[in-house]
Amino acid sequence: MTQSTHNPWQDDETARFLRLRMKSFWNMDTFERVVLPLLDFPQNGRVLDVGCGNGGISFLLAELRPDLHISGVDFEANPVADAAAFAERHGLSRLHFEQGDAHQLRFADGTFDGAVCQTVLTHVRDAPTVVREMARVLKVGGVFFAAEYTESGAITSYDNVHLEKRDEAWQREHYRISQLFRRGKLALGRGDDTVGVRVPLLATQAGMDVYDVRLNDRVMHVFPPYRHEKQRNYLELSKRYHAPAPDDRWFNLTLETILAGGGTEADARWYYAATDSAGILQAIEAGVLSATGSFALYLTFARKPLSPST
């Protein structure tokens, strides 16, 4: 990740939230039966997880392919330490995590059989450079995989707390300020929320052969009486996400970003308050929350060819 004046990913509670959030990215049957065969890593292969954070996709791969040797790298020290400690506690000796910059990977050319990233390219300063670095460290025939979203600013989810509040005027205002936020992220070097749909182009420009592009199929949903594990996980995720902030760091991050995008403090306060977190928590406590939403990751599969013209 790129360095930032704000680092909201630094405490144990956030680490627990992120680990739970990682569980919501994938339907395991889809990952095991569709994604994993497309990755086609060799037996005992070496895989690099770029922007590994707390180790989400590294641990998923390790569970399904315990033969793999996986190295994770992330700019932020605390998530790397959390991932390393988790691996040690669970005896995952083939996993290694270290701090590093995705824009300038320390590894030699042709080191890895696979290079993967998950919700990373939307947060880096220069996504084309990161993709080129991932291509560089791949062996000939090595596989590149990126799971990245595109955030347009439009609200596509449903919940029974916000339904009547989000009229046409609200939607217009949300879209306007979300574009300020997106421009602010770009101006601050913190990424581009629209990059997901362009990853196949970035991979092609990096000299790789894109052999498949898909969308993941995970849909978040909760409807009383919340009988199934997925729903209970989403409820726990929602509780953590909407819990009252212990300090002003999230608002300050929102304010800094929107100001950098050309907005005002009033815009930041509107945007920060746009989600009725108290209402969501009350609905969960009362057992009446109904919600449906997606986390539409664009999945790009590419391979490093034998030669640039192959």
Side-chain angles (χ1 to χ4, degrees), residues 142-158:
V143 171
F144 166 93
F145 173 65
E148 300 290 340
Y149 65 85
T150 284
E151 174 59 70
S152 68
I155 297 292
T156 57
S157 59
Y158 157 79

Side-chain angles (χ1 to χ4, degrees), residues 170-189:
W170 187 98
Q171 295 281 0
R172 285 197 302 268
E173 185 69 352
H174 185 274
Y175 183 81
R176 180 185 72 82
I177 301 177
S178 71
Q179 299 313 299
L180 297 174
F181 189 92
R182 183 179 67 83
R183 289 198 293 270
K185 272 190 69 174
L186 280 169
L188 294 168

Side-chain angles (χ1 to χ4, degrees), residues 45-248:
R46 295 190 65 189
V47 177
L48 178 65
D49 179 2
V50 176
C52 63
N54 297 77
I57 199 167
S58 289
F59 295 130
L60 178 56
L61 288 171
E63 178 181 348
L64 299 174
R65 287 287 306 273
D67 60 291
L68 295 175
H69 300 267
I70 302 172
S71 299
V73 61
D74 196 281
F75 193 88
E76 300 288 358
N78 284 343
V80 167
D82 174 68
F86 187 91
E88 184 176 3
R89 286 197 304 272
H90 291 81
L92 301 172
S93 60
R94 295 192 178 200
L95 272 65
H96 170 75
F97 298 96
E98 63 182 69
Q99 193 173 7
D101 187 350
H103 299 85
Q104 192 173 6
L105 296 170
R106 71 166 185 83
F107 306 100
D109 296 1
T111 299
F112 294 95
D113 300 288
V116 303
C117 62
Q118 175 175 287
T119 61
V120 170
L121 298 177
T122 48
H123 299 297
V124 297
R125 180 183 70 256
D126 186 347
T129 294
V130 173
V131 173
R132 286 195 298 270
E133 278 290 276
M134 293 173 71
R136 179 185 65 78
V137 301
L138 279 175
K139 298 176 182 178
V140 170
V143 171
F144 166 93
F145 173 65
E148 300 290 340
Y149 65 85
T150 284
E151 174 59 70
S152 68
I155 297 292
T156 57
S157 59
Y158 157 79
D159 68 69
N160 57 349
V161 173
H162 291 99
L163 180 62
E164 295 181 357
K165 302 174 184 178
R166 293 176 174 174
D167 58 13
E168 185 176 342
W170 187 98
Q171 295 281 0
R172 285 197 302 268
E173 185 69 352
H174 185 274
Y175 183 81
R176 180 185 72 82
I177 301 177
S178 71
Q179 299 313 299
L180 297 174
F181 189 92
R182 183 179 67 83
R183 289 198 293 270
K185 272 190 69 174
L186 280 169
L188 294 168
R190 294 177 183 162
D192 181 354
D193 284 342
T194 68
V195 79
V197 293
R198 300 197 307 278
V199 176
L201 173 62
L202 300 183
T204 300
Q205 291 173 338
M208 292 184 284
D209 174 36
V210 176
Y211 59 87
D212 209 341
V213 180
R214 303 192 177 211
L215 281 173
N216 76 324
D217 66 342
R218 186 77 175 216
V219 176
M220 294 176 279
H221 59 285
V222 288
F223 298 94
Y226 317 132
R227 287 195 180 97
H228 303 290
E229 183 183 3
K230 280 185 184 179
Q231 297 196 44
R232 292 192 292 270
N233 284 339
Y234 294 147
L235 285 175
E236 181 62 25
L237 190 65
S238 293
K239 288 179 184 177
R240 292 180 181 272
Y241 179 80
H242 294 286
D247 51 43
D248 293 330

Side-chain angles (χ1 to χ4, degrees), residues 4-11 76-79 190 249-250 253:
S4 168
T5 55
H6 286 285
N7 176 15
W9 316 107
Q10 59 192 350
D11 59 74
E76 300 288 358
N78 284 343
R190 294 177 183 162
R249 59 178 163 159
W250 291 111
L253 180 61

